[in-house]
Each structure stands twice: as structure tokens, then as C-alpha cells.
Amino acid sequence: MVKGGAAVPALELSDVSVTYGQTLAIANVDLSVPQGTLAAIVGPNGAGKSSLIRAVLGLTTAAGDVKVLGRQGAAGRQLIAYVPQRTSVDWDFPADVLDVVLMGLYRELRWWRRIGRDERDRAMRALAEVGMADLARRQVAQLSGGQQQRVFLARALVQDADVYLLDEPLTGVDAPSEAALMASLRNLVAVGRTVIAVHHDLSTLQAYFDWLALIDRKVIAAGPLAECLTVENLRSTYGKQLMAVPGGWAAAYA
Amino acid sequence: MPDVLALLGDPTVRTVGASAVLLGGAAGGLGVFAVLRRQSLLGDAMAHAALPGVVVGYLVSGERSTGPILAGALVSGLLAGLAALYLSRLPRIKSDAALGISLSLGFALGVVLLTRVQASAGGHQAGLEAYLFGQAAATLRSDLPWLAGAVVLCMATTLVAWRPAKLTTFDREYAAASHVRVRLVDALLTSVLAVTIVLGLRMVGVVLMSALVVAPAVAARQWSSSFVGMALGAAAIGAGSTLSGALISASMPGLATGPVTVVVASALAGVALLTSRLKPRRA
């Protein structure tokens, strides 16, 4: 783990903007996520949550500054493990679960190095962490959505990163998988890592997260969940969409 | 087939056999990337559009020498691939339509040029029509060393880039986020595929070359549960079908190599599909 002092934010965005052609996806975003938090990034469809993640990962050209544990550019991005949306890949691929988890180690293996027992042990530990050890030899084409998502998290876990960035990890996931995923994420935070997830379900925010950023092309509010999760903030973020938000937030927070 | 077995003693046939195994193996193995990356049609477009390059290479060099002809084929095949890529980035043109346009235009140009050359004096001596459907018997012993060299180079490139290529094929976003230079991987794989296709043109022909890239991968996917297994299986099926295509066509005068090869490869793919449907799915 990188020791940057507890005061250094895990993730710090200063004046970050992303534009696609003429369209402004996010504008002048300032955001500072402290270390050791389980943070949710929340906002309506088209609010620029994915653009924000892509800017942090360097997958899209962005104006402004991104620092990970105080480090800029590639040196900072090196400290992140990314968990993409499971629907972003074609799972009809000739590989078993262990193969996919081992992909998390490709970055540190030179091309001539064979994958050995050490690597396999690490991958198996990551699979055990997400409760998938017994499915290590299952073909990935035969997994359920929740199992796919757990495999993706395991692949990020073997990277042993400081910051975990997840894009909608709980979307379309069965209840046992959701519980397993959240348990793993809590374990990460317990050992001082930082977890930042794009999240869509307002009804589970309070139960799952301790830090919150509300985004709608710009930052509406950000901070500890207890301070940030107010009806007023939600209304400024979602506007008229608020009544249609899943999970019956109104009953919970009104 | 006693004829075929008797042929194996012949040095010419051994030359043909060796190049068939090399080419078929390379095309089959690399086809795994093309198929999993949904680039089958790109291979087809590059193969068809290589034809004008074949004729221009012949015209420029003034003789039927392999080097200039294959260089011309590589240039025009790659040009068609790039043209398709460019067209598909324009608004309102889908990538399959863009590839279709490049394929047909390139092939049409090739046929026009080929017909003109053949109509000219001595044109038939050129033997360029062999590039349409392939003629294994036309492989020269002197071609074998550099053919082998080129195939080895393609394989070595693929081996060095193996993990980034596999990762990019499965999960492009994650690969890019893990500092894989995905554009470089794309360019490498496409170049290696183009070179392999061009090398195979005389053996299998521009019209059917892409089937030798696609069919072995489709067959191998049915039987294999790992990426490396699929690649090895596809290479073996590609080598086997090209070898049998070359030997069968060499033993029957007038029979082009390409069609026989593709019939064998597709038959194997058919069997693979049937057997994988019949056997119970592994839990």
C-alpha cells in the first residue's frame, strides 16, 4: 500500500471537465474522496458518472487535474483497480473463472513469465474472498450475472490496489451476490483501502455506503453520507425525476 | 486414396504440404482473434481487395515473381481495411456496410484488371487466375524459406503480445484501464492477420481465404474451454484442412485448392457444432 499520510485524499479531482464533441458530459468537477471510505457516486441517467470514471482512469481526454493518493497521471492510475460493468464484455469467451481472475495479474507479469502456482494461489484467495472458490473451473459463459460481477471484483482484488473504482457493481445482481460483493468491499475498507462505486439504487445508500457524491454534470453535494443524504440535495440532483427513482426513497427520507 | 499417399514421396508435393501446414496453421490460429473480436468480415474484405494488388504487382514487376505480387496484395488489402475503418466512422455508415463496400469494390477492381491483363498478349502465361481460387501446386520450393520466415515472424509477434491481446479481446475497457495500449494491440493483430491472409492467397485464393481464417476458429470454439486450447485447436484444424486441400487438389488435375480446403474446414466446423450440441452441457 502507498503511504501518503491519512490527510492525502484517495482521489482528488480539480476542475475536471469532459466534453464529447459539442456535448459537455461533466463540467468543472472538484471532488475529494478521503482514504478509507466506502463512497457512492450517485446521479440521474446522463449525469456524467461514467465520464467521471473514464476521466479518472485516463480512458477519455479530460481537462483538469486528477490525483490518486497525491500522485498524478499514470503514477496515480497505477494505484487503482477498476471493476467495469459486467455487461461491457461478451461472456461467451473460452475461459474459466480462474482464467479471468488471473487477468488481474497480467499487468505485473512480463510476457515470458509463465503463470505459476503463486499466481494461481493469489487468484484462488481472491475467489474465496468473493465466495466463488468452488466455481474456479466453471466456464465464464455459464455464470449468472451476479457471479460474473463477483469474478470481476475478484480480478480487481488480485491487483491488491489502494483504490477500487467500480461502475454500477450491484446492477442486475441477485441478492446472495449483492451480499457477497458488499461484504468484500467492506473488508477492503476495513484494511484501509478506499472503495468508490457508481451506484443507482438510492434505497440502499444508507445501508451500504459511508460517503456520498451527488453528481449531475457537476458536483451537487459531496461528503460523509450522514451529512450529504438530504431530501434537498436529492431534489437538486434528480429534479423532477425524483418521484421515479427506484427503491421508494420518498418513504425512507421524506 | 492411394494416389494421395503415393504423392507424399514426391519432393514437390512435400514442398506444397509443408507450406500448406504453415499457412493453414497460422491462418487458423490467428483466426481465433479475428472471430472473437468480430473481425471475420475484415479478413474477408482484406482478402478480396488484395486482388488488384496482385495484378498491379505483376504489372510492375513484369513477371510472375512472388515478392512484388504479394507486396501489392498486402498494400491493397490493407488499404481496403483502412478504407472500411474510415467509412465506418462516418455518420450513417455501419461497419458491416463499410466492409461490404470495400470488399466488393476492391474485388471488382481486381477482376477488371485481371481480365485486361489476361486479354493482353501472353497474359495467360501470367497464371494470375490461380490467385482467385488458389493453386497449391504453383508453390515453388524457393518460396518455402521466406514463407516459413514470415509465418514464424507472425507467430512470434502474436506470442509476445499474447496476454495483452487476450485481455483486449475479452475486456477492452479493463485492458485500457490496466495500461494496455489497446490501439497498438489492434494494429499488431490486424497487421499479422493481413500478412497471413496475403501469404495464403496463392494457396487458397482471394475468394475463399477468409473461410480458412473463420472456419477453424468456429470449429475449435465448440470443443475447447480455454483460449489457448481454442487457438491450438484452430491452428491444427487449419493446418489439417489446408494440407488435405492441397494434396487432394494436387492429385486431381484442374481442381483448385481453395474450394477443397474450405469444404474440409467447414465440414469439420459442422461436425464440431453437431457434436457440441449433442453432448450434454458441462455444469
Side-chain angles (χ1 to χ4, degrees), chain A residues 54 90 113 139 155 159, chain B residues 38 163 171 173-174 225:
Chain A
R54 296 178 61 82
D90 182 358
R113 272 278 319 273
Q139 286 289 299
R155 181 178 66 176
Q159 285 179 248
Chain B
R38 300 163 195 265
R163 283 187 194 129
D171 190 345
E173 282 271 290
Y174 179 80
S225 55

Side-chain angles (χ1 to χ4, degrees), chain A residues 20-37:
Chain A
Y20 299 113
Q22 299 290 312
T23 325
L24 195 63
I26 49 174
N28 313 105
V29 166
D30 291 307
L31 191 64
S32 177
V33 184
Q35 290 182 45
T37 50

Side-chain angles (χ1 to χ4, degrees), chain A residues 139-150:
Chain A
Q139 286 289 299
V140 292
Q142 296 168 350
L143 298 177
S144 74
Q147 290 167 338
Q148 291 169 354
Q149 193 66 62
R150 284 197 262 170

Side-chain angles (χ1 to χ4, degrees), chain B residues 10-16 19 137-146:
Chain B
D10 185 328
T12 317
V13 173
R14 282 209 293 262
T15 303
V16 169
S19 26
T139 311
L140 303 172
R141 201 176 173 74
S142 58
D143 286 345
L144 200 51
W146 65 260

Side-chain angles (χ1 to χ4, degrees), chain B residues 11 38 81 172 182 215 239:
Chain B
R38 300 163 195 265
R172 205 182 164 74
V182 290

Side-chain angles (χ1 to χ4, degrees), chain B residues 131-170:
Chain B
Y131 282 93
L132 275 178
F133 292 110
Q135 200 181 68
T139 311
L140 303 172
R141 201 176 173 74
S142 58
D143 286 345
L144 200 51
W146 65 260
L147 187 75
V151 168
V152 166
L153 196 67
C154 285
M155 308 251 267
T157 309
T158 314
L159 276 184
V160 170
W162 185 260
R163 283 187 194 129
K166 177 181 169 186
L167 187 53
T168 310
T169 301
F170 174 60

Side-chain angles (χ1 to χ4, degrees), chain A residues 214-225:
Chain A
L214 291 162
I215 306 271
D216 188 15
R217 285 172 203 283
K218 55 187 191 307
V219 178
I220 305 289
L225 189 102

